[in-house]
Amino acid sequence: MDYKIIATCAFGLENVTARELKDLGYEDLKLENGRVMFEGDEMDIAICNIHLRTAERVLICLSEFDAFSFEELYQGTLAVDFPSIVPLDGKMHVTGKSVKSTLHSVPDCQSIVKKAVVDSMRKTYRNELFPEDGPVYKIEVGILKDRVTLSLDTSGPGLHKRGYRESSGTAPLKETLAAALVLIAGYDGGRPLVDPFCGSGTILIEAAMIAQNIAPGINRSFVSETWPTFPADIWEQVREGAKLAEKRRKLSITGYDYDSYVLSTARINAKKAGVFDNIYFYKEDFRGLTMNDRDILLITNPPYGERMGEAGEVQELMSKLGRDKARMQDADFFILSSMDGFEKAFGRKASKNRKLYNGRIMTYYYQYFAEKKVT
């Protein structure tokens, strides 16, 4: 069956996710805030869930319509042929959000949609009650400026949950954002990669997976695998193809951090991700770290200095990072930071910067290119 598919992503990453989709062979993409839309079938849903690195979820768009009243919301939902999607025992879970819309009460909208879904099921199955003890079908009602989008989540847990990260410290960087940082930086495994504030190793692990073409969803399951309308062999085929496409090779990837416990976590995560042999983790305080003056790519998410008394310390760290860049003219530095006055502390204006959201924190991705690349 053909569907209108939505790959959701963090704001600011739409073009990165679209590039991933184009590399997978998809065309006629439509980009909106936080999502990329395209056409596909069950095989495409499996491919996107297993292969997309920067998407948060893969959804099926069930319907789009305007609704200014609960009756319009009910009728618009009732018009969807839910029995063709949800089996008799399907567990129908409704989530919602509403922005700048007449129907602003999300709980009421969820109740109306759930009632319409059940009424749609009753017409076909001739049942008054449904056990809802089978596969999960999470239906999302999203209303933006009175425009309703009904969608069905095919992923289950968010796609950032690759399955390799047990612990991530106090300020985790999502795997999807870490992968985006690596892709924006253009890392392909051809040069040494360094993260002087590596924490639990997420950026380096994602980089190793990208360089070796390891599909991010290869070792996890997805809720749509449990749906009877999705043949099991589709998922088997996609996973088998992903395994065959892996390119195991030697990489030069190095991470530093001053915290022994966090580094032990990073090593465990790297082992679970299958890339431990390609990443070297060292205990080192950045203030005493001397990086070699060579053609390296540095990608990092340093401390933001949000706690009281930390701002001055972080400013000193960024000043040292700037001095390192001035010394290492052949290196490229890519730094994600929410720090006010970052460029002043660093000592120079970035070649480029890009606004990204780390969770709910607005950050900038500062890009300092090698001197030979600046024109």
Side-chain angles (χ1 to χ4, degrees):
M1 182 182 293
D2 290 330
Y3 301 100
K4 182 176 180 179
I5 302 172
I6 302 172
T8 66
C9 61
F11 290 114
L13 295 184
E14 297 85 357
N15 286 321
V16 182
T17 302
R19 172 50 57 190
E20 283 196 86
L21 286 163
K22 288 178 182 177
D23 290 343
L24 288 170
Y26 296 100
E27 300 177 349
D28 299 323
L29 306 176
K30 182 180 179 182
L31 281 66
E32 294 183 357
N33 286 338
R35 62 185 195 172
V36 183
M37 292 166 286
F38 55 102
E39 302 288 333
D41 58 14
E42 290 86 353
M43 177 68 80
D44 297 307
I45 288 171
I47 289 171
C48 291
N49 271 302
I50 289 173
H51 284 278
L52 287 179
R53 301 182 188 279
T54 62
E56 296 296 329
R57 294 181 183 277
V58 177
L59 311 176
I60 294 172
C61 181
L62 301 174
S63 182
E64 292 181 292
F65 56 90
D66 294 327
F68 301 90
S69 67
F70 288 131
E71 180 62 22
E72 289 176 319
L73 178 61
Y74 173 82
Q75 293 297 337
T77 305
L78 188 64
V80 177
D81 184 12
F82 283 99
S84 68
I85 304 168
V86 184
L88 179 64
D89 64 346
K91 181 177 177 60
M92 298 164 282
H93 176 55
V94 180
T95 63
K97 57 186 176 182
S98 178
V99 179
K100 298 179 181 178
S101 299
T102 305
L103 301 177
H104 55 82
S105 173
V106 173
D108 287 340
C109 292
Q110 290 173 263
S111 297
I112 293 296
V113 168
K114 181 63 179 285
K115 182 180 186 304
V117 172
V118 172
D119 287 348
S120 173
M121 299 282 284
R122 282 174 179 155
K123 288 183 179 180
T124 297
Y125 291 114
R126 306 295 181 184
N127 278 40
E128 285 300 312
L129 299 175
F130 295 89
E132 295 200 53
D133 56 2
V136 175
Y137 291 79
K138 189 174 82 170
I139 301 161
E140 181 181 285
V141 50
I143 311 178
L144 175 62
K145 297 179 180 178
D146 300 312
R147 183 69 176 174
V148 178
T149 300
L150 291 177
S151 58
L152 183 64
D153 178 19
T154 73
S155 301
L159 295 182
H160 68 281
K161 295 188 177 180
R162 321 288 208 210
Y164 66 72
R165 193 162 78 175
E166 290 186 356
S167 178
S168 53
T170 56
L173 183 71
K174 265 190 176 182
E175 294 88 334
T176 44
L177 179 55
L181 301 183
V182 174
L183 291 173
I184 292 169
Y187 176 71
D188 60 4
R191 62 194 294 202
L193 174 63
V194 175
D195 182 354
F197 305 95
C198 71
S200 58
T202 308
I203 290 175
L204 303 181
I205 291 169
E206 291 294 322
M209 293 175 69
I210 288 170
Q212 299 194 93
N213 202 34
I214 301 173
I218 194 70
N219 293 318
R220 57 159 286 178
S221 60
F222 306 92
V223 69
S224 47
E225 289 187 73
T226 67
W227 298 352
T229 54
F230 274 53
D233 63 339
I234 285 177
W235 298 92
E236 293 173 4
Q237 289 175 40
V238 175
R239 286 193 174 93
E240 182 178 349
K243 282 287 186 183
L244 292 173
E246 290 180 4
K247 301 174 182 177
R248 296 290 179 173
R249 55 177 175 148
K250 188 67 176 175
L251 303 171
S252 175
I253 300 177
T254 308
Y256 302 94
D257 203 277
Y258 70 91
D259 190 319
S260 297
Y261 174 75
V262 169
L263 282 175
S264 67
T265 299
R267 293 186 180 99
I268 292 171
N269 292 342
K271 287 178 181 177
K272 291 188 68 176
V275 295
F276 179 74
D277 291 343
N278 294 107
I279 306 175
Y280 302 91
F281 293 106
Y282 297 102
K283 182 181 179 183
E284 189 76 53
D285 190 318
F286 178 67
R287 287 168 292 193
L289 176 64
T290 301
M291 292 180 285
N292 293 330
D293 187 4
R294 52 180 178 168
D295 179 21
I296 69 164
L297 173 60
L298 181 147
I299 305 175
T300 193
N301 176 39
Y304 293 169
E306 295 179 311
R307 296 178 184 174
M308 188 173 296
E310 290 182 342
E313 181 180 354
V314 171
Q315 188 167 355
E316 290 178 10
L317 293 175
M318 296 309 98
S319 178
K320 179 186 180 301
L321 196 59
R323 294 194 300 273
D324 287 342
K325 177 65 185 82
R327 176 174 56 84
M328 303 166 67
Q329 295 188 1
D330 291 335
D332 290 309
F333 279 33
F334 288 74
I335 306 152
L336 184 73
S337 178
S338 67
M339 175 184 171
D340 289 335
F342 173 86
E343 289 172 309
K344 183 178 180 181
F346 193 86
R348 61 186 293 186
K349 186 175 177 61
S351 307
K352 291 176 64 176
N353 71 64
R354 184 174 192 150
K355 182 164 69 174
L356 298 174
Y357 283 87
N358 183 5
R360 295 185 178 183
I361 302 173
M362 188 180 76
T363 66
Y364 285 91
Y365 194 31
Y366 297 98
Q367 304 165 47
Y368 292 89
F369 301 143
E371 296 298 326
K372 61 186 178 184
K373 296 182 181 179
V374 177
T375 58

